[in-house]
Amino acid sequence: MKMKRILIISEIFHPESGLVNDFAIELVRRGYEVEVLTHQPSYPGGHVYPGYHNDKYSVEHWNGIVIHRIAVVEGYGSSKLKKILNYRAFVRRGKHIAKRIGESYDCVFVYQTGPLTVALPGVYIKKKFKKPLFVWTFDIWPDAVYAYGFPRIAPLTLFLNHLIRKVYRNSDHILVSSRKFIESIRVYVPDRPVTYAPNWLVEETHKVSGVRLDTSRFNFTFAGNISKAQNLENVLLGWAKTRFVIPVALNIIGEGSSLKSLRELVERRSIPNVYFWGRYPSDQVEDILRQSDVLVLPLIADPGIQKTEPFKLQTYLHVGKPIFGIAYGSIQDIVEMNGLGICAAPNHPDEIAAKFQEMVPFAEKCHKEVAERSRMLLLSRFDKEQIISRILSIMSK
């Protein structure tokens, strides 16, 4: 049976950035009718974007896609309580809209990059209207919940276990962005089919950036969201212990909740040769990365976070520069098994320092081989056409 009319449920959608935008556009290009149930745009700051209103419900059209928007609880970016209230509000308001529109689709597709609760309006449609439900998981629960500071106490763990089983038991097929998620999901639903469907590189027109790195230095660069999960505090503590014999720089591109504390750490400890460049549009980031010698890819040591394959990985591969993975788990597997760079344990500044220094001769010796291996990996494991065809094949069955 061909799924002609598809409802995508996602907490984020255009004008917010995310792979879901490219996925929806590709479905339209292949002849599907696509509608999206999502929030008023507010990520990551937690406040509705200029030009939008925090209406309880509104409808928008973009690139042939009908977007159903529901109100957001503003301020969730800086308040754990408001974050929880926002999750709850999406479920409650999402179910209300799902009751009105859910019957008209051939299937429901949940794009889950944050709370697994985003799938509950889809579960409602599945039960009430008997529609197939597919869930694409990018953030594995309950690991992600604990990684962001929520306590492992009985009421919460019981609730999370119930929620996870409810969502996955009602899913006809589960897609995961990391191979290491599969074993975690099968603990809850051993009989449900789970398929690996990773991120791909979103093509866009690239522009020259206003950032010009000092080419007389050996440039290490991190680009992305600056939060606790990125483990940049340990990166800086390791960098402070390095003893390079050549001029070097550690460039940090981006903004986020940890930026202020990282600046204070650099100033307090007088850590040299660290440059905070701020946030730049995604279409300029590639130019900055191409000026770099090594790309830094860190994550905190939490077991759940270490299972992820970060979105920035495909951008790093596209640039083709050697990668310094300050992580284990999925990142270490990809970087070391494919000869793309060197990895260090995320909780050991001394080891991070030593590996920083080892990256210099590695990059000078292997940069051409790394570029070719990165290109081949994008053409095989992370190829957009293959991944989308895999997803559609699953849905058609």
Side-chain angles (χ1 to χ4, degrees), residues 97-118:
I97 301 303
K99 185 177 182 179
R100 293 166 49 185
I101 67 177
E103 191 173 9
S104 62
Y105 306 103
D106 295 318
C107 72
V108 180
F109 192 97
V110 175
Y111 177 86
Q112 182 242 328
T113 55
L116 190 59
T117 51
V118 71

Side-chain angles (χ1 to χ4, degrees), residues 162-203:
H162 168 73
L163 170 66
I164 293 164
R165 287 192 176 94
K166 180 177 181 178
V167 170
Y168 289 140
R169 281 176 179 169
N170 283 283
S171 302
D172 290 85
H173 205 113
I174 303 158
L175 300 156
V176 293
S177 62
S178 171
R179 287 174 176 161
K180 291 190 179 295
F181 288 174
I182 296 175
E183 59 197 55
S184 299
I185 289 174
R186 284 186 173 149
V187 169
Y188 293 93
V189 283
D191 61 331
R192 277 286 174 263
V194 185
T195 298
Y196 176 57
N199 307 307
W200 60 78
L201 180 72
V202 178
E203 296 179 4

Side-chain angles (χ1 to χ4, degrees), residues 20 39 42 53 66 89 96 114 121 133 153 189-190 193 197 202 230 233 236 257 267 349 380-381:
V20 63
H39 268 149
S42 60
H53 302 282
V66 179
H96 179 70
L133 175 65
I153 56 177
V189 283
V202 178
Q230 275 65 54
E233 181 176 347
L236 290 173
S257 58
E267 183 175 349
S380 53
R381 179 168 175 169

Side-chain angles (χ1 to χ4, degrees), residues 219-293:
N219 284 287
F220 293 88
T221 301
F222 166 89
N225 184 41
I226 300 175
S227 69
K228 174 186 174 184
Q230 275 65 54
N231 195 32
L232 286 169
E233 181 176 347
N234 278 335
V235 173
L236 290 173
L237 293 175
W239 178 262
K241 293 173 176 286
T242 56
R243 296 294 181 267
F244 291 101
V245 296
I246 60 172
V248 295
L250 176 58
N251 304 286
I252 298 178
I253 313 295
E255 293 179 348
S257 58
S258 296
L259 178 59
K260 181 180 178 182
S261 63
L262 294 175
R263 287 182 179 274
E264 291 172 349
L265 174 64
V266 168
E267 183 175 349
R268 185 171 66 252
R269 299 211 175 191
S270 300
I271 303 175
N273 305 317
V274 178
Y275 301 91
F276 294 95
W277 293 92
R279 181 181 178 274
Y280 282 79
S282 60
D283 59 5
Q284 296 183 28
V285 171
E286 180 177 325
D287 177 59
I288 301 171
L289 297 180
R290 289 194 181 280
Q291 299 174 53
S292 308
D293 298 288

Side-chain angles (χ1 to χ4, degrees), residues 1-210:
M1 172 184 175
K2 176 149 182 175
M3 302 293 178
K4 184 66 176 175
R5 300 199 70 219
I6 301 173
L7 176 67
I8 297 175
I9 300 178
S10 172
E11 276 215 323
I12 60 168
F13 198 71
H14 173 84
E16 297 158 315
S17 60
L19 193 72
V20 63
N21 300 332
D22 200 45
F23 178 62
I25 289 173
E26 182 63 22
L27 292 182
V28 172
R29 188 184 73 81
R30 296 190 183 205
Y32 293 86
E33 297 176 28
V34 178
E35 299 192 14
V36 176
L37 175 60
T38 189
H39 268 149
Q40 302 292 350
S42 60
Y43 181 81
H47 297 280
V48 173
Y49 287 12
Y52 286 83
H53 302 282
N54 200 18
D55 298 329
K56 288 185 178 179
Y57 176 63
S58 63
V59 178
E60 180 184 350
H61 296 264
W62 175 72
N63 280 354
I65 300 163
V66 179
I67 307 172
H68 302 267
R69 295 196 183 276
I70 54 180
V72 66
V73 176
E74 294 193 88
Y76 63 81
S78 57
S79 167
K80 192 175 290 186
L81 175 60
K82 288 184 177 180
K83 189 184 292 290
I84 294 171
L85 293 175
N86 191 46
Y87 294 169
R88 181 175 177 271
F90 187 91
V91 175
R92 180 167 48 85
R93 294 165 181 163
K95 283 184 178 179
H96 179 70
I97 301 303
K99 185 177 182 179
R100 293 166 49 185
I101 67 177
E103 191 173 9
S104 62
Y105 306 103
D106 295 318
C107 72
V108 180
F109 192 97
V110 175
Y111 177 86
Q112 182 242 328
T113 55
L116 190 59
T117 51
V118 71
L120 292 177
V123 171
Y124 175 85
I125 294 173
K126 162 81 174 183
K127 289 183 171 181
K128 183 172 179 61
F129 302 114
K130 312 301 180 187
K131 304 295 182 179
L133 175 65
F134 306 92
V135 176
W136 196 3
T137 291
F138 290 81
D139 206 3
I140 194 71
W141 274 39
D143 298 341
V145 178
Y146 302 134
Y148 283 94
F150 290 91
R152 294 176 183 264
I153 56 177
L156 179 60
T157 57
L158 291 173
F159 167 74
L160 291 175
N161 289 339
H162 168 73
L163 170 66
I164 293 164
R165 287 192 176 94
K166 180 177 181 178
V167 170
Y168 289 140
R169 281 176 179 169
N170 283 283
S171 302
D172 290 85
H173 205 113
I174 303 158
L175 300 156
V176 293
S177 62
S178 171
R179 287 174 176 161
K180 291 190 179 295
F181 288 174
I182 296 175
E183 59 197 55
S184 299
I185 289 174
R186 284 186 173 149
V187 169
Y188 293 93
V189 283
D191 61 331
R192 277 286 174 263
V194 185
T195 298
Y196 176 57
N199 307 307
W200 60 78
L201 180 72
V202 178
E203 296 179 4
E204 59 182 347
T205 302
H206 295 285
K207 299 178 181 177
V208 175
S209 167

